Amino acid sequence: MTPVLIKQATILDKNSSFHNQTVDIKIENGIITEIAKEIATPENATVVEKENLHVSQGWFDSSVSFGEPGYEDRETIANGLQVAAKSGFTTIALQPNSTPIIDNQSYIKFVLDKAKDQATTLFPIGALTKNSDGQDLAELFDMKNAGAIAFGDYNKAIQDANIQKIALQYVQDFDGLVISYSQDNSLKGKGVVNEGIASTRLGLKGIPTLSEELHIARNLFLLEYTGGKLHIPTISTQKAIQLIKEAKAKGLQVTCSVTVHHLVLNEEILSGFDSRYKVAPPLRDEATRKALLEAVIDGTIDCITSDHNPLDIEHKKLEFDMAKDGTIGLESAFGALATVLPLEIVIEKLTSAKTIFGLPQNKIEVNSTAELTFFSPKTEGTFTKENILSKSKNSAFLGQKTKGKAYGIFNNGKLVI
């Protein structure tokens, strides 16, 4: 394996003794072998030199959809992992919303096999219920043994409280993590956007924040009753923040994430009825966007996800009511986040979530496994179609200002730059 020499990179890693230092880093056989102010270039080495080069622990995205198996026209696992690598992500958690749904060990093995020999590591999330229909628990223990790191039905909330309760009890036998999307379907009804002044003005049916909050409150009550570990993905309301903060204060093992688009965009962008902005949960008002940013900064929200969800034009470029929910987000994640949050917070929220899912954090030290993300924090620009690397083009960030750019990664002994 060719040695890699990273020249004059500023390390951003609070767990490293080299934090905030600008150094050279030498990698041999996938291991960091030397970190110093200056390192002589080894024979045959691949040299990484970039303008304003910064390096951090590898970024992790806790919610990524690709489509394969079944929706290869939207995205394949191979191309999706290349997109993730070029976007700065060394690790992703793959949602089970393919067809068939990833709800047994053979499908877990299938996606892991498809992800072999890639720079970005894929960890599958197994469906919590068979076919993600909310009726019967899937083969959770078998999937855990096959490599699943958590269990959840993507963007589908468990309406049956007893199924939710049994799931939280059952996974404790093998230290499993339950992911619970939050939405009371009866309160959502036929809503397509956030209920409020904007929905009234646009004449679109609204989804009350109560549909998310009621479900979160119920699941936290169940967690208090059962014990275990619960992850609440993509929260989007002020009351949700408060409920989770109170649950953490009680000592419950609950974590949560927020999407990049809920931190950067608000419902005012819907005025053109562009279905690229139709997401689940829906974009909220400006006061809520600011509250979500505050909750990221104060630590109530544990991690940030792109919630990358490629959709083909036939399902996305439709009347707003008819279009599917979802946006791609890997390519735009870092550049968009850096416009609304301090750099150190962005890096922390893109790296620390590994511990929630029981994955190792490889700090930047000599003799550590090299799992690194390369980026520049200052390059300003605009996100355009040329920046989209995914097969699907449904980005809510087209035309948005960006700050900073990902250069690539080193992971699994592979350099993508």
Side-chain angles (χ1 to χ4, degrees), residues 52-96:
N52 196 23
L53 180 60
H54 284 60
V55 60
S56 72
Q57 287 187 29
W59 301 344
F60 168 61
D61 194 330
S62 60
S63 177
V64 173
S65 304
F66 284 149
E68 188 176 8
Y71 298 122
E72 287 82 356
D73 52 330
R74 297 179 185 176
E75 189 59 281
T76 62
I77 287 171
N79 187 64
L81 290 174
Q82 274 293 308
V83 173
K86 290 172 182 173
S87 305
F89 292 91
T90 57
T91 317
I92 61 111
L94 181 72
Q95 292 286 1

Side-chain angles (χ1 to χ4, degrees), residues 161-162 164-165 168 217-227:
N162 195 47
Q164 181 80 33
K165 183 197 79 167
L168 285 165
R218 184 204 77 175
N219 287 346
L220 291 173
F221 267 116
L222 289 169
L223 181 66
E224 194 169 0
Y225 177 80
T226 59

Side-chain angles (χ1 to χ4, degrees), residues 131-270:
N131 207 34
S132 284
D133 63 9
Q135 301 299 309
D136 299 293
L137 286 188
E139 300 169 7
L140 307 184
F141 183 61
D142 286 350
M143 287 194 285
K144 168 87 170 180
N145 289 339
I149 57 166
F151 310 99
D153 296 333
Y154 180 67
N155 275 10
K156 290 181 177 179
I158 303 293
Q159 302 300 305
D160 185 327
N162 195 47
I163 294 283
Q164 181 80 33
K165 183 197 79 167
I166 293 166
L168 285 165
Q169 289 171 325
Y170 178 63
V171 299
Q172 290 177 56
D173 288 342
F174 49 88
D175 197 30
L177 176 66
V178 171
I179 300 175
S180 289
Y181 181 72
S182 304
Q183 179 178 279
D184 185 298
N185 291 346
S186 61
L187 283 170
K188 174 185 182 279
K190 293 181 179 175
V192 291
V193 295
N194 179 49
E195 182 183 83
I197 295 167
S199 65
T200 307
R201 190 173 67 240
L202 297 169
L204 292 169
K205 285 194 173 72
I207 304 171
T209 59
L210 183 65
S211 83
E212 178 175 317
E213 294 152 2
L214 200 62
H215 216 78
I216 288 176
R218 184 204 77 175
N219 287 346
L220 291 173
F221 267 116
L222 289 169
L223 181 66
E224 194 169 0
Y225 177 80
T226 59
K229 291 188 296 188
L230 178 67
H231 180 68
I232 302 174
T234 63
I235 69 166
S236 70
T237 82
Q238 295 186 55
K239 182 70 176 171
I241 296 166
Q242 193 57 39
L243 287 165
I244 290 163
K245 189 179 273 189
E246 288 165 6
K248 286 184 171 187
K250 281 182 185 174
L252 299 185
Q253 287 193 79
V254 60
T255 54
C256 64
S257 70
V258 66
T259 74
V260 178
H261 40 273
H262 283 93
L263 294 174
V264 176
L265 307 172
N266 67 28
E267 64 187 1
E268 295 304 319
I269 206 163
L270 300 173

Side-chain angles (χ1 to χ4, degrees), residues 284-391:
R284 306 291 186 184
D285 60 22
E286 177 64 7
T288 300
R289 185 188 75 85
K290 287 179 173 169
L292 290 166
L293 284 169
E294 280 302 313
V296 167
I297 291 165
D298 74 19
T300 304
I301 294 175
D302 300 273
C303 58
I304 300 171
T305 174
S306 70
D307 203 24
H308 182 82
N309 189 8
L311 295 168
D312 51 67
I313 198 166
E314 289 83 3
H315 287 96
K316 199 63 181 169
K317 202 160 189 184
L318 300 166
E319 297 92 337
F320 200 94
D321 281 22
M322 306 295 291
K324 276 190 174 290
D325 297 312
T327 175
I328 56 171
L330 285 168
E331 301 98 311
S332 50
F334 177 67
L337 280 177
T339 64
V340 292
L341 283 167
L343 179 63
E344 51 284 6
I345 299 278
V346 173
I347 300 304
E348 183 200 335
K349 297 300 178 183
L350 290 177
T351 55
S352 60
K354 287 181 187 172
T355 53
I356 297 169
F357 291 82
L359 305 177
Q361 278 192 292
N362 293 305
K363 61 184 179 182
I364 305 175
E365 292 285 3
V366 175
N367 296 326
S368 283
T369 300
E371 185 188 345
L372 306 171
T373 294
F374 308 115
F375 59 96
S376 161
K378 287 185 179 164
T379 317
E380 294 195 3
T382 303
F383 191 76
T384 65
K385 278 185 179 169
E386 287 68 48
N387 300 119
I388 295 178
L389 308 169
S390 301
K391 284 179 76 175

